[in-house]
């Protein structure tokens, strides 16, 4: 069965597209048939795909109204994973995408202004009855002894929303943006690096959510 993940955040720049494409490349490397559907008018995922030298993952630029049809096609074509990269500030489109997904990942940075801004996305997830979770992105990298206080406090603050928070957070690392320059992802750019390991851990955790 095709699994669909919707990456959501009403706030701009939290890392929806970044996590979407890194996860899509990793899943392709693992042998999954992957499609990214770019429903953001900014079309950043599509621009990345144009810079990319490889056929996989497939990236389709579509309007939200086309989503149900495209997802039905993906099912018929035997796709394993579809990732929906959504636009910020778009409650209606976001709600439609969330409703069609098996799992909604709300992406937030660990700073208070970002954490406070996820209320609208949480409402969408709860209203649609979708399975959802929050993923903290662009976090200060962990110390040897574990997560930084900023990340621990962010997890605590997220408790009020009553949604699971991914135990894997993604750090602020230059590799995540450098890899995109020529249309790659961190698992290709620096396969044994810390950024690639974080994406692998995040994907492993996602797979426990189905
Ligand atoms: N973990 C990270 N480490 C370093 N840079 C990051 C990370 N996550 C995101 N960025 C950078 O932050 C910026 C915003 O990321 P991105 O475009 O993925 O966010 P977005 O949520 O898709 O934005 P939009 O809401 O505009 O669609 C980009 O410059 C990206 O390279
Ligand atoms: Mg984006």
């Amino acid at each position: 069965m095709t699994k669909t993940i919707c990456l959501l955040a009403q706030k701009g720049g939290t890392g929806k597209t970044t996590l979407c494409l890194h996860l899509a490349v990793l899943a392709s490397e693992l042998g999954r048939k992957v499609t990214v559907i770019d429903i953001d008018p900014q079309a950043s995922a599509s621009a990345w795909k144009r810079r990319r030298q490889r056929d996989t993952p497939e990236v389709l630029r579509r309007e939200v109204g086309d989503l149900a049809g495209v997802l039905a096609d993906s099912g018929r074509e035997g796709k394993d994973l579809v990732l929906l990269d959504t636009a910020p500030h778009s409650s209606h489109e976001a709600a439609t995408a969330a409703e069609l997904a098996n799992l909604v990942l709300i992406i937030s940075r660990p700073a208070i202004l970002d954490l406070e801004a996820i209320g609208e996305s949480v409402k969408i997830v709860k209203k649609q009855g979708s399975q959802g979770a929050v993923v903290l992105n662009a976090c200060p990298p962990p110390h040897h002894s574990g997560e930084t206080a900023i990340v621990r406090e962010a997890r605590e603050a997220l408790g009020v929303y009553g949604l699971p928070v991914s135990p894997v957070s993604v750090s602020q690392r230059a590799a995540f943006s450098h890899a995109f320059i020529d249309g790659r992802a961190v698992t290709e750019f620096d396969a044994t690096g810390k950024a690639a390991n974080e994406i692998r851990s995040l994907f492993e955790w996602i797979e426990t959510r189905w």
Side-chain angles (χ1 to χ4, degrees):
M1 201 194 94
T2 310
K3 305 273 176 48
T4 303
I5 299 176
C6 174
L7 293 103
L8 207 67
Q10 293 300 302
K11 200 167 166 65
T14 63
K16 297 176 285 298
T17 304
T18 298
L19 297 188
C20 175
L21 296 176
H22 289 294
L23 289 168
V25 169
L26 172 66
S28 302
E29 288 172 351
L30 294 172
R32 315 289 162 80
K33 287 168 129 188
V34 182
T35 301
V36 172
I37 307 182
D38 178 6
I39 56 170
D40 182 355
Q42 295 177 106
S44 334
S46 308
W48 169 85
K49 177 66 178 185
R50 281 196 297 278
R51 295 195 298 276
R52 188 168 169 79
Q53 310 288 328
R54 301 184 186 181
D55 291 339
T56 59
E58 176 179 57
V59 179
L60 306 173
R61 165 84 191 103
R62 292 291 184 273
E63 301 303 319
V64 77
D66 302 330
L67 266 187
V70 182
L71 289 176
D73 291 344
S74 302
R76 274 192 296 275
E77 289 162 12
K79 294 285 161 54
D80 299 301
L81 182 65
V82 176
L83 292 137
L84 308 179
D85 185 24
T86 65
H89 320 298
S90 64
S91 303
H92 172 67
E93 281 86 352
T96 306
E99 192 181 2
L100 292 167
N102 303 104
L103 175 64
V104 180
L105 297 179
I106 299 174
I107 313 301
S108 180
R109 289 175 182 253
I112 186 68
L113 296 180
D114 297 76
L115 297 167
E116 282 176 348
I118 73 162
E120 187 64 27
S121 300
V122 172
K123 262 193 228 156
I124 289 172
V125 172
K126 291 192 169 167
K127 194 164 165 220
Q128 310 293 1
S130 320
Q131 136 116 275
V134 182
V135 177
L136 289 168
N137 178 43
C139 298
H143 304 307
H144 285 301
S145 52
E147 283 185 335
T148 61
I150 289 176
V151 177
R152 274 201 317 275
E153 285 162 17
R155 288 182 187 286
E156 270 170 44
L158 285 168
V160 298
Y161 293 113
L163 274 190
V165 181
S166 163
V168 181
S169 52
V170 178
S171 303
Q172 170 81 32
R173 299 188 189 275
F176 285 115
S177 45
H178 281 168
F180 276 4
I181 293 170
D182 58 0
R184 284 185 293 168
V186 284
T187 45
E188 299 164 325
F189 175 79
D190 181 10
T192 56
K194 290 177 178 169
N197 284 337
E198 287 180 349
I199 293 298
R200 286 190 199 99
S201 301
L202 179 61
F203 190 67
E204 272 171 27
W205 176 78
I206 288 170
E207 296 222 286
T208 68
R209 306 298 304 170
W210 305 122

